[in-house]
């Protein structure tokens, strides 16, 4: 994938459906959902109208979430005994009458989507989509957990309304030509708006940083089948990001406003890429796939040194990377599949990596680093899958990735100083830097069993380990490599009923194996008997079911975390939901 160190997540939303006959087809669905752990109420409605040559679809979803309630059984370190409330002109540290409720963590969100689909002639299709999503103000809960001199550090630490909007137009042509069998041209514009609002306890000064990003992209993708054994896929991509960031400080008592450092410099970021992929079916048992991609990226950043004393006022990056992949899938028999792949990848520094200014943890401040370079990945993967009759399937994959010039946060110096005064606190200067290397390796395994009378069993297990080289040359745990994780499901399914009883769990991360930068965030972790932060193991037992009460009406519900465990996923800023009852109804109409 583009700039993703070899990984891609692909999300597909609803597509308007064309009618098969000359009559107009109207269809859609409505969903209502409630859950107890956070008092969630979600409503959704989508309606589509289809004709033979055109179709349209409208979708709206709104969710309200209250403060999230954690489980009863687990570390007391996760409890929320107090919270801050503004009363008249005073910040009051209030007693939380239910320390299981994580105040403040409530928020609301609305998603809108409008799509049009047109087939003007044989082999041609046009699709237009408008996506719009927004939230209300909501607290960054982990920042509310930080303390200073035994009291909450922040009276307010919120995100303002976040807005994402995308307009996209795609033109597709299917025909056998010299250049392609299928051509897709997709142009898009995305708008991102967000803000951060924070104020220290008992301070009248409130700091706000606001960001807006306009992202423009153009993708051209072509595929060409060459006989029965060869296929070519190739294309190009151009992406341009325009980043505007502002900062201000307001005296909430007098209303006076003053300038403050922006989170990001005024920046533009460009990525230009082209790729070629070749698929070769040697025979019915062997398939080979090879690919190459070249990306060139440019970044221009202009810093406002009047608000923050930087020793430079601009930074520029201009570089490129050639990456490739080679993989094969071998089926020695109908019941065996063996896959091997080798690949390289890269990620170019973006504006967030190079130019942001923010307090990452108590006593530390991140500053810009204009000398960043791209990080490169080299990976290998071997997978084996085996069918045992018609009732059992097992698979296992081993993988390893070596990351060179890895972008990680390290101690830094600004104007010759290793510490500066930031937000009223003497803070250690840090910056994102290219370290020597990082390594991630692991295994994942799966089991699927088909039992009689609609019963089934599945299990998944993933273990990984990550290490990185530190400043002094020693090896430390890599923050982004989590502990082992597994799940086991017992399912039942017939024509109208689906039931899933499942267990999920993860291993512990001891203090010794905790990444160095995570050890400085004790508010996120439980304390071991020696008083050191660590991430305990946890599990949940869950039951979900769905019943088709009518061919157009389905009622579903469930109980999550039946044993009411109190846990926090590794490196998360908020404890997960405790015992949670859910109920939903879906109505389809046509």
């Amino acid at each position: 994938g583009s700039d993703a160190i070899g990984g891609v997540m692909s999300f597909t939303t609803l597509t308007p459906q064309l009618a098969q006959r000359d009559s107009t087809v109207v269809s859609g669905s409505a969903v209502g959902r409630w859950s107890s752990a956070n008092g969630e109420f979600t409503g959704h409605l989508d309606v589509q109208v289809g004709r033979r040559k055109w179709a349209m679809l409208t979708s709206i979803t709104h969710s309200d979430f209250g403060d999230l309630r954690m489980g009863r059984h687990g570390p007391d370190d996760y409890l929320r005994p107090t919270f801050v409330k503004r009363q008249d002109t005073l910040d009051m540290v209030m007693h939380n009458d239910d320390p299981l409720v994580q105040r403040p963590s409530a928020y609301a969100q609305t998603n809108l989507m409008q799509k049009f689909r047109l087939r003007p002639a044989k082999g041609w299709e046009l699709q237009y989509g408008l996506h719009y999503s927004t939230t209300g103000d909501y607290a960054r809960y982990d920042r509310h957990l930080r303390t200073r001199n035994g009291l909450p550090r922040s009276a307010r630490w919120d995100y303002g309304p976040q807005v994402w909007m995308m307009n996209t137009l795609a033109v597709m042509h299917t025909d056998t030509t010299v250049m392609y069998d299928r051509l897709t041209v997709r142009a898009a514009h995305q708008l991102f708006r967000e803000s951060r609002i924070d104020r220290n306890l008992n301070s009248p000064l409130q700091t706000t940083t606001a960001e807006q990003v306009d992202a423009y992209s153009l993708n051209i993708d072509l595929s060409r089948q060459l006989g029965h054994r060869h296929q070519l896929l190739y294309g190009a991509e151009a992406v341009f990001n325009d980043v505007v960031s502002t900062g201000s400080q307001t005296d909430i008592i007098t209303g006076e406003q003053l300038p403050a450092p922006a989170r990001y410099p005024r920046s533009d970021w460009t990525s230009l890429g082209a790729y070629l992929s070749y698929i070769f079916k040697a025979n019915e048992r062997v398939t080979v796939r090879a690919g190459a991609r070249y990306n060139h990226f440019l970044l221009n950043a202009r810093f406002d040194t009047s608000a923050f004393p930087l020793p430079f006022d601009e930074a520029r990056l201009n570089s490129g990377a050639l990456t490739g992949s080679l993989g094969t899938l071998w089926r020695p028999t109908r019941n065996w599949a063996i896959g091997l792949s080798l690949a390289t990848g890269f990620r170019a520094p973006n504006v967030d990596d190079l130019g942001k200014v923010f307090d990452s943890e108590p006593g530390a401040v991140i500053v810009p680093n204009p000398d960043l370079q791209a990080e490169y990945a080299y990976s290998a993967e071997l997978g084996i899958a085996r069918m045992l009759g018609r009732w059992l399937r097992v698979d296992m994959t081993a993988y390893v990735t070596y990351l060179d010039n890895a972008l990680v946060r390290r101690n830094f110096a600004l104007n010759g100083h290793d510490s500066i005064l930031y937000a009223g606190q003497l803070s250690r200067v840090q910056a994102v830097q290219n370290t020597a290397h990082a390594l991630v390796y692991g295994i994942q395994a799966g089991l699927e069993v088909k039992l009689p009378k609609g019963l089934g069993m599945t299990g998944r297990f993933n273990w990984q380990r990550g290490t990185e080289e530190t400043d002094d040359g020693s090896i430390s745990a890599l923050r982004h490599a989590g502990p082992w994780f597994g799940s086991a499901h017992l399912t039942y399914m017939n024509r109208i009923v689906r039931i899933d009883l499942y267990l999920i769990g993860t291993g512990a991360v001891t203090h010794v194996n905790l990444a160095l930068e995570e050890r400085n965030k004790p508010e996120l972790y439980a304390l071991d008997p020696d008083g050191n932060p660590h991430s305990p193991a946890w599990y949940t037992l869950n039951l979900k079911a769905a019943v088709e009460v009518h061919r157009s009406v389905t009622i579903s519900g469930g109980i999550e975390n039946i044993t009411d465990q109190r846990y926090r996923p590794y490196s998360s800023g908020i404890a997960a939901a405790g015992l949670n009852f859910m109920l939903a109804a879906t109505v389809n109409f046509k």
Side-chain angles (χ1 to χ4, degrees), residues 487-526:
S487 65
H489 293 252
L490 175 62
T491 60
Y492 170 76
M493 183 182 300
N494 64 22
R495 189 176 60 83
I496 62 172
V497 175
R498 301 188 304 274
I499 301 174
D500 186 5
L501 175 66
Y502 62 99
L503 179 79
I504 60 175
T506 189
V509 180
T510 63
H511 179 73
V512 173
N513 293 322
L514 198 64
L516 295 179
E517 58 192 278
E518 292 301 287
R519 297 180 190 180
N520 297 324
K521 305 173 185 176
E523 71 276 7
L524 299 187
Y525 294 95

Side-chain angles (χ1 to χ4, degrees), residues 187-387:
H189 167 254
Q190 298 181 68
L191 170 68
F192 304 86
R193 285 180 183 162
E194 65 179 15
S195 58
R196 295 166 175 83
I197 309 159
D198 69 279
R199 183 175 61 82
N200 290 335
L201 185 70
N202 296 322
S203 171
L205 298 180
Q206 181 168 282
T207 300
T208 300
T209 61
E211 288 78 47
Q212 177 171 312
V213 180
D214 285 280
Y216 304 88
S217 61
L218 177 66
N219 294 78
I220 302 174
D221 299 286
L222 307 96
S223 64
R224 182 71 167 91
Q225 190 73 38
L226 304 173
H228 297 291
R229 301 169 63 184
H230 309 271
Q231 185 181 12
L232 284 177
L233 300 99
Y234 60 102
E237 176 190 62
V239 179
F240 177 79
N241 291 345
D242 183 39
V243 181
V244 177
S245 181
T246 60
S248 63
Q249 195 171 67
T250 303
D251 188 316
I252 63 172
I253 296 177
T254 66
E256 181 183 5
Q257 278 199 346
L258 299 171
R263 181 179 173 90
Y264 300 111
R266 181 70 172 86
S267 310
D268 57 78
W269 184 89
T270 303
S271 173
L272 304 172
Y275 73 93
L276 172 66
S277 182
Y278 169 60
I279 302 174
F280 172 51
K281 292 192 67 174
N283 52 49
E284 293 299 320
R285 296 184 177 182
V286 178
T287 301
V288 178
R289 182 165 187 160
R293 181 185 181 99
Y294 178 77
N295 252 88
H296 199 89
F297 58 90
L298 304 98
L299 191 156
N300 299 305
R302 298 165 294 283
F303 296 88
D304 180 5
T305 56
S306 64
F308 199 83
L310 295 172
F312 47 84
D313 56 13
E314 67 175 11
R316 296 180 182 273
L317 293 177
N318 186 342
S319 186
L322 178 65
T323 57
S325 63
L326 177 64
T328 181
L329 179 62
W330 177 40
R331 301 179 181 87
T333 70
R334 292 181 58 186
N335 295 324
W336 278 95
I338 302 173
L340 173 66
S341 66
L342 304 171
T344 62
F346 89 105
R347 187 173 77 85
N350 56 35
V351 177
D352 187 80
D353 299 317
L354 180 141
K356 66 184 172 186
V357 178
F358 81 113
D359 56 328
S360 61
E361 60 192 48
V365 58
I366 301 293
V367 301
N369 177 10
D371 299 322
L372 285 182
Q373 299 297 320
E375 57 184 353
Y376 293 84
Y378 307 89
S379 61
E381 182 177 305
L382 174 64
I384 301 174
R386 175 78 162 100
M387 287 291 301

